[in-house]
Amino acid sequence: MHFIKDSVLTDKLTQLFIFERDQQGNDAAVVGTLMIVPFPDLKEMPTEGEAMITRFAISPKHQSKGLGRLILDASLDVMREQGYLRCSIRVFENRPPVLSWYTKLGFADTGERRAFKAPPGKVLALPVGFVIMKKELL
Ligand SMILES: CC(C)(COP(=O)(O)OP(=O)(O)OC[C@H]1O[C@@H](n2cnc3c(N)ncnc32)[C@H](O)[C@@H]1OP(=O)(O)O)[C@@H](O)C(=O)NCCC(=O)NCCS
């Protein structure tokens, strides 16, 4: 059985988790997570009224069971409670099924693109960019 545990709230970040429970009903493992940040990459200036979803993943053996949709919907409710008007997400441009999934969930391609920068010490085999998608939270 899976459920969303309380979100962990700090001044700037909110992280949600989905836990798998063992037969005794105790949290046994994290199977999904998502972070809400008030500004992109934790470096750039915040955009008024906008939060971004990042660090979003469901463990491979639990994918395609609706958990991604569950935690994403929960995060949108958290953002509304926190007073945000808009949610943005960066999606790799070379992942059409994921882009289509976000479109189905109400996100729209803004036309804005960002380059993915390799972490320090790493080199990209091929350049890849992010599509910036946004959803109004009203
Ligand atoms: C994207 C992700 C969070 C979706 O979680 P999930 O629990 O599988 O999502 P749901 O079960 O609610 O919805 C599944 C739908 O997502 C879409 N989808 C998501 N990732 C996909 C992929 N890599 N290939 C094809 N379809 C994908 C499909 O429409 C799929 O529907 P289907 O299962 O009927 O084929 C999960 O696949 C994941 O962790 N991927 C790796 C990390 C990642 O890409 N994070 C998002 C970064 S923007």
Side-chain angles (χ1 to χ4, degrees), residues 16-103:
L16 278 69
F17 300 96
I18 301 177
F19 286 83
E20 184 173 42
R21 283 176 167 167
D22 63 20
Q23 288 180 338
Q24 286 72 45
N26 301 311
D27 296 345
V30 173
V31 300
T33 189
L34 173 158
M35 189 182 276
I36 302 167
V37 298
F39 45 88
D41 286 347
L42 311 181
K43 291 177 196 150
E44 298 166 24
M45 292 300 289
T47 303
E48 182 73 28
E50 188 170 303
M52 188 179 79
I53 288 174
T54 186
R55 315 260 168 102
F56 177 21
I58 302 296
S59 89
K61 72 173 184 174
H62 292 90
Q63 288 177 10
S64 292
K65 295 176 182 169
L67 293 178
R69 169 80 189 258
L70 185 75
I71 196 169
L72 183 68
D73 283 346
S75 76
L76 299 176
D77 286 342
V78 170
M79 285 177 229
R80 288 184 187 100
E81 285 165 18
Q82 292 178 344
Y84 290 110
L85 304 173
R86 202 173 313 105
C87 168
S88 73
I89 191 158
R90 295 174 175 199
V91 188
F92 280 120
E93 61 192 354
N94 58 0
R95 301 187 71 201
V98 181
L99 289 161
S100 304
W101 185 59
Y102 285 118
T103 303

Side-chain angles (χ1 to χ4, degrees), residues 7-10 12-16 34-37 78 82:
S7 59
V8 179
L9 179 63
T10 70
K12 296 196 166 69
L13 310 174
T14 307
Q15 186 148 14
L16 278 69
L34 173 158
M35 189 182 276
I36 302 167
V37 298
V78 170
Q82 292 178 344

